[in-house]
Amino acid sequence: MNERSRPFQSVDDVQQALRDQSYLADHGLGVAIHLALSLDKPLLLEGEAGVGKTEVAKALSAALSRRLIRLQCYEGIDASQALYEWDYSRQLIAVRALQAEDAARHLGDLFGEQFLVERPLLAAIRAGDSAVLLVDELDRADDEFEAFLLEVLSEFAVTIPEIGRVAAARPPAVVITSNRTRELHDALKRRCLYHWIDHPTLEREVEIIRVRAPEVPEELAQQVAAAVARIRQLDVAKRPGVAESIDWAHALAFLGADALDGEAAGATLGAVLKDHEDLEMVRSSLARVVGSDG
Ligand SMILES: Nc1ncnc2c1ncn2[C@@H]1O[C@H](COP(=O)(O)OP(=O)(O)OP(=O)(O)O)[C@@H](O)[C@H]1O
Ligand SMILES: [Mg+2]
């Protein structure tokens, strides 16, 4: 195996490189990343909202000094929006600028590089292993798009009829994320290495808060992490992610709170819960959530 396909020597290496980018990966995630990069497989990350799926790709691209190419999926996304399109309005202007007889002769030029609009997948194919491709929230796209993506991921090549074949010499690192609003297909999963990102342990979450919100005192970080862990155990509709813990800690520190009591929590609860019913429920058991009821 050559050097380029193994940017990290060990799982520890992976964890340290990500830590240098302020991302704390646990051992399981470190193994998944190490394997995906070494075996040239896409890494499929699933997990609840805000557990740090998208951030893996960002931290990885920074750690590897590779360009991050992001394909944000959404309902109705299709191949041309993901791969390439022709710039129709520029083509039209070009045609108008030509005399009628010239236009016929120059028709081929209208489908040249200067009229091609590169979308993330084509950019990733061209960039090859100098990029990290993030396919974010694939569960939002429909089945058809998923099948198309699978095709691209197996070849890392595309034939543009007017231009020719474009192929990656070496595939980019690929991170795919899903919030599991629908199940992805087995065919796609089979091609990937899979890792489920769980909510972090209490100690890990404190550490993450300290890294991401360094102005927050240790004790406050601990209280926030503990309170968020308790909220997650309640029957809330939207369990807060790590992102919310960080936001909450920022908000509390900004308001000058040095401890999480019922009053401070009540005033800043909107940083951690974004659902009206959830807010009401947690408000009614604030003392228990902040751990001040003994
Ligand atoms: N392990 C971690 N180490 C450091 N920061 C983290 C970690 N996990 C999450 N974060 C922080 O939480 C924020 C949210 O993470 P991210 O956006 O990656 O979550 P997500 O799983 O993609 O969420 P969503 O499903 O809502 O898209 C990040 O910006 C980052 O600051
Ligand atoms: Mg995300």
Side-chain angles (χ1 to χ4, degrees), residues 18 21-26 29 45-58 70 72 136-137 140 177-179 197-198 200 204 207-209 211-212 241-247:
L18 293 179
Q21 305 302 324
S22 303
Y23 189 91
L24 308 186
D26 62 19
L29 178 58
L45 299 174
E46 288 194 326
E48 288 186 34
V51 292
K53 302 181 294 296
T54 301
E55 196 69 21
V56 168
K58 294 186 188 167
R70 179 177 188 161
Q72 174 64 54
D136 214 10
E137 307 185 346
R140 292 192 189 200
T177 80
S178 162
N179 279 28
I197 303 189
D198 237 326
R204 179 44 65 96
E207 227 188 319
I208 295 173
I209 294 173
V211 166
R212 293 279 168 167
V242 179
E244 281 73 26
S245 304
I246 296 168
D247 282 351

Side-chain angles (χ1 to χ4, degrees), residues 40 82 114 143 257:
D40 271 342
Q114 71 269 37
D143 290 3

Side-chain angles (χ1 to χ4, degrees), residues 36-143:
L37 290 175
S38 304
L39 305 176
D40 271 342
K41 277 182 169 278
L43 175 62
L44 171 58
L45 299 174
E46 288 194 326
E48 288 186 34
V51 292
K53 302 181 294 296
T54 301
E55 196 69 21
V56 168
K58 294 186 188 167
L60 196 59
S61 76
L64 294 170
S65 305
R66 294 187 192 176
R67 173 180 164 206
L68 178 70
I69 299 174
R70 179 177 188 161
L71 174 64
Q72 174 64 54
C73 299
Y74 50 88
E75 210 183 317
I77 186 174
D78 64 23
S80 62
Q81 288 150 349
L83 195 56
Y84 71 89
E85 285 176 285
W86 291 105
D87 191 336
Y88 180 65
S89 42
R90 284 194 61 209
Q91 285 173 322
L92 213 62
I93 293 169
V95 169
R96 287 207 181 119
L98 293 166
Q99 301 292 346
E101 62 270 27
D102 286 347
R105 254 187 302 124
H106 289 284
L107 215 56
D109 301 349
L110 291 175
F111 292 91
E113 198 57 55
Q114 71 269 37
F115 295 106
L116 188 72
V117 184
E118 182 183 86
R119 299 291 183 211
L121 289 181
L122 182 57
I125 292 171
R126 282 176 165 168
D129 66 357
S130 66
V132 172
L133 171 65
L134 165 64
V135 180
D136 214 10
E137 307 185 346
L138 180 57
D139 52 327
R140 292 192 189 200
D142 52 31
D143 290 3

